[in-house]
Amino acid sequence: MNTLPVVLVILVASAALLVALYRWHYLVYGLLFYVTIAGAVQLLLPTVRWAVLFTDLVFVVPCYLGLSAAWLRPTRARLRIPASLAIAVLFVVINVCIQMFNPAGPSWLARLVGLKIWLFYLPMMAVGSAFAVSRRRVVGLLRVFLVLLWLPCTIGLLQWSLSLAIGYENAIRLFYADGAAAATQGFTSFDVGAGKVMRIPSTFSFPAQYYNYLLCATMVAWAATHGERSRGWARFAWASLILAVLASVFSGVRAAFVFAPLLLILAHLFKKDAGRLTGLAGAATLLVGIGLSVSNLNWLDLGDFIFGLALTYAGTNSIEYIAASASTFGWGVGSGTNAARY
């Protein structure tokens, strides 16, 4: 066993803990950066099987400990969690614990991993509450996120462009070498009319992770467009928002064709900001249309493809289907692909 990675992680985690004890919120910025490259680190270190734990060991656990230490001091860190949210979280915890013993569940190892995935990051809500002590800090965090999201978004769009130019497998291998197949679920693609929808991992270890990040990035950019008082940063936020939408559409995750625009529509409806939605929709539609044309995809073929997919998902995720294929209460904790895999 190569002990060098172990030693490095111990040293870095120790340094992070020291930082957390005095300025725990610094680790939040570090976490935002590392999330954008964590998948690439995991795939480029295939022999270090616990590389997936770097995020937890170096950022999450020290951040929790640092916040706990700050809470014990006389000048406590603020913690404001609405009672309705706390009750909802309590119900989630109870449900997850009960589902641990679902007889239709997977192996106990997968259940334990699923338990960790479900519960370990719930305290991040407390981190967020304590972090947001002032408008200045929140705006600063949004700006950091806006800058960082350009890295995975541009690399993802670059991978998509190169896939059209030199071939899907050749393009992804330029970035991930022997880990390219793992990062793309075996170079999975879908024929849609005369074109193809190709799964793009960007800097992540799997396309679904990339897409989930893009959903978060989209809402962060949207929030920044409304809360930013600096004209320059507001324009940058709009550019970042359009970039995140484009990256989502061309991520190869088929759900993005539905949920990327739906997310923005719902956000603007709740905000009652139809004027901005019209401008954003026009710019995004134009750029997406150009991208579809380059990919030999047309709106009709894509619409038929997504509609058929939606019907399939509606059937396979219905309560009747789950009850018939597993049990009345589903498959239990750890049965989801993300939890089982990580």
Side-chain angles (χ1 to χ4, degrees):
M1 176 181 178
N2 188 358
T3 59
L4 181 59
V6 178
V7 174
L8 288 176
V9 169
I10 292 175
L11 291 176
V12 174
S14 300
L17 182 58
L18 290 175
V19 171
L21 292 176
Y22 293 95
R23 295 289 186 272
W24 62 266
H25 60 277
Y26 285 2
L27 294 185
V28 175
Y29 297 108
L31 178 61
L32 286 182
F33 170 73
Y34 185 73
V35 162
T36 64
I37 63 170
V41 171
Q42 295 166 28
L43 287 173
L44 293 175
L45 295 174
T47 59
V48 185
R49 298 188 62 84
W50 48 271
V52 68
L53 298 176
F54 285 180
T55 306
D56 299 335
L57 296 176
V58 176
F59 297 102
V60 179
V61 171
C63 190
Y64 288 169
L65 293 175
L67 178 59
S68 300
W71 181 251
L72 294 174
R73 295 187 190 121
T75 55
R76 294 183 175 184
R78 296 184 187 179
L79 188 61
R80 299 174 181 173
I81 298 179
S84 57
L85 180 58
I87 293 172
V89 170
L90 178 61
F91 275 107
V92 169
V93 173
I94 293 173
N95 184 47
V96 169
C97 292
I98 293 174
Q99 286 286 350
M100 273 287 290
F101 302 96
N102 189 324
S107 68
W108 277 101
L109 178 60
R111 297 184 196 208
L112 290 174
V113 174
L115 183 69
K116 181 259 185 183
I117 295 297
W118 273 103
L119 302 184
F120 183 69
Y121 302 104
L122 288 180
M124 274 293 171
M125 287 186 284
V127 172
S129 175
F131 184 93
V133 294
S134 66
R135 186 182 189 281
R136 179 179 179 182
R137 183 181 281 185
V138 173
V139 170
L141 185 69
L142 292 178
R143 289 176 177 178
V144 170
F145 203 125
L146 288 178
V147 172
L148 290 176
L149 72 84
W150 280 74
L151 175 64
C153 288
T154 52
I155 290 179
L157 290 173
L158 178 61
Q159 290 174 351
W160 168 75
S161 302
L162 289 174
S163 296
L164 297 176
I166 64 176
Y168 181 32
E169 294 189 18
N170 292 332
I172 304 303
R173 288 189 192 279
L174 288 177
F175 293 85
Y176 283 114
D178 293 337
T184 56
Q185 200 174 15
F187 298 106
T188 298
S189 63
F190 308 93
D191 293 322
V192 181
K196 278 189 175 184
V197 174
M198 301 166 289
R199 288 190 168 174
I200 302 297
S202 184
T203 58
F204 293 80
S205 61
F206 202 68
Q209 293 178 331
Y210 175 41
Y211 172 62
N212 290 336
Y213 175 85
L214 291 172
L215 289 178
C216 297
T218 298
M219 292 313 300
V220 167
W222 177 83
T225 62
H226 288 80
E228 192 55 73
R229 294 174 180 173
S230 166
R231 182 174 298 181
W233 277 105
R235 291 174 178 171
F236 183 68
W238 276 107
S240 302
L241 178 57
I242 293 174
L243 178 69
V245 172
L246 286 176
S248 297
V249 171
F250 296 112
S251 66
V253 176
R254 295 165 292 177
F257 291 102
V258 175
F259 289 106
L262 181 61
L263 185 65
L264 288 175
I265 290 172
L266 291 175
H268 280 81
L269 286 177
F270 284 128
K271 187 67 177 177
K272 298 180 180 179
D273 193 3
R276 290 191 178 191
L277 177 60
T278 302
L280 174 63
T285 301
L286 175 62
L287 293 174
V288 169
I290 294 173
L292 293 178
S293 178
V294 173
S295 304
N296 289 323
L297 295 169
N298 64 66
W299 293 100
L300 292 177
D301 289 335
L302 189 61
D304 290 340
F305 177 73
I306 298 303
F307 182 70
L309 181 68
L311 291 179
T312 301
Y313 280 168
T316 57
N317 287 286
S318 66
I319 295 176
E320 293 81 5
Y321 178 87
I322 294 174
S325 59
S327 70
T328 304
F329 300 101
W331 289 293
V333 174
S335 60
T337 56
N338 288 338
R341 187 178 302 114
Y342 299 109

